[in-house]
Amino acid sequence: MDYKNQVVAALKPVLNEYLSDSEIYEKIEVPKESKLGDLAFPTFTLAKVLRKAPQMIAQDLVEKIDQSDFEKVEVAGPYIDFFLDKQAFGEEVLRTVLDQKSAYGDNDDGQNGNVPIDMSSPNIAKPISMGHLRSTVIGNSLALIMEKNGYHPIKINHLGDWGTQFGKLITAYKLWGSEEDVKADPINKLLEYYVRFHKEDKEKPELDDIARDWFKKLEDGDEEATNLWKWFREVSLQSFKQIYDKLGITFDSYKGEAFYNDKMDEIVQILEDKDLLKESRGAQVVDLEKYNLNPALIKKTDGATLYITRDLAAALYRYRTYNFVQSLYVVGAEQTNHFKQLKAVLKEMGYDWSDDIHHIQFGLITLNGKKLSTRSGRVVLLDEVLNDAVTLAKKQINEKNPDLANADTVAKEVGVGAVVFHDLKNERTNSFDFNLEDVVRFEGETGPYVQYSRARAESILRKADTEVTTDQLKITDANAWDTLKALQEFPSVVQRAAAQYEPSVIAKYALSLAKSFNKYYANSRILADDAEKPARLALVKSVSLVLEESLRLLGVKAPDEM
Ligand code: ARG
């Protein structure tokens, strides 16, 4: 159903001396305005070979080609504009969508290759920040998009559950903490201890020594230290899971940094064997000058390993376990240097698969113009943001549809969906501001707008109360054209989203499909009793299916009524 091939077929007989099929294909453009046709072929590049002005070439070619598969073919300056046979096009799109349903747009590009996706990965004993939200929802959507493209994604939560901060946390807990308090409100209490530690150690530097001792004990397997660590990890994970539940997101693995503790000796050994370790002020580093990067610090003076050492072990473990075709890390742009170093060290170790590692970076989120961070104590709990979004959604539902039966469930799907959609509609590398009122609006470029458009489609179908079939798919109404074209684009949109690792490609597509559908809805009498009614209902059903599938790929629910 790729209409560019139809253009190739038409041009092939007259151009095969000069251009191969794929060269013709590559040159075909989609005009910005539909009055310039549906597909266009530019003739500039032929001017040299044919020694003729592009306009002349276009004129000559149009006279020679077989136009019977098209509604019309026109010359516009140096372009040949092809107008597709709307009837045949529309029928084929609708038939395909209705036959394939949610499988519409699936492809086998990935050939079932494994793609581990490192995502979310919050730090134990700290709240999940809005930054971690981005990683979670982008990662989840990428997993769904990769799966639709025939890959086998593996969602990995690389928990920040190891490091010197646990020495600090244990110290703080022993000094000021209580079991009861932690049990009552784990994350907030643990964060409070941690923040207090950082405040007090400015005046009492001896706290740092105590913290270092505790971390050493933890590394040596001391029972008290280990039990406290396990407990902190467990209560933190429980509270993270509440948020994941709210988002409807699951993981295939929770192997965090601590999992690699016993796998780092091997890394250091390999680095030594390959003569890659150098001493620098007592520490062990890998020189990365030829990559224009700072040296990677592998082992500190006291023998402690670092974040990157654990990531080296994790990368190798993932390669051995999954034999991946790609390995993705959905982590903020502030860690760009870290991932460059990681790839460079792996390359130095002789692992060519380091080329298949991709840092999927993203920009910063601000809320009402303010930066969000956990260190400074200015904590905006994701949980609160989600709850507020649900409340706002509920308010709007009460105004618009006071009799809605399952209003609370729908409010959850709309409120949470709105936050997720807003995160994903922005190109991931952009930083963006967050204003909850705007995000949860039912109009404009929002998730609720897409959900609402689909619910409208479902409501039309309920009203029609007839089964949608593929028996009569002929639509002559020109108003339907933009929507039919949008439906036909979906499979290529799915591919583009995967190639660019960009959920925003899907989100923007969903917005534009919803927009053209709403325009169609406003300008045609869908339920009028005439011969084309079954085809119009088929169009409505197709829009509903594709909007639902688009939302699914973003991790957003599609309520039938709202
Ligand atoms: N825990 C880290 C943080 O919050 C993110 C970990 C990302 N994943 C990785 N393999 N390094 O900054």
Side-chain angles (χ1 to χ4, degrees), residues 426-444:
N426 294 284
E427 267 165 52
R428 61 184 158 72
T429 50
N430 287 351
S431 294
F432 64 88
D433 194 51
F434 201 85
N435 170 302
L436 211 50
E437 299 249 334
D438 290 341
V439 166
V440 189
R441 255 187 251 289
F442 280 29
E443 301 90 26

Side-chain angles (χ1 to χ4, degrees), residues 118 121-123 132 158 160 257 307 311 329 331 335 338-339:
D118 186 309
S121 311
N123 301 316
H132 292 116
H158 187 78
E257 296 190 35
Y307 183 50
D311 256 331
Y329 293 76
V331 185
Q335 292 193 29
H338 168 74
F339 285 101

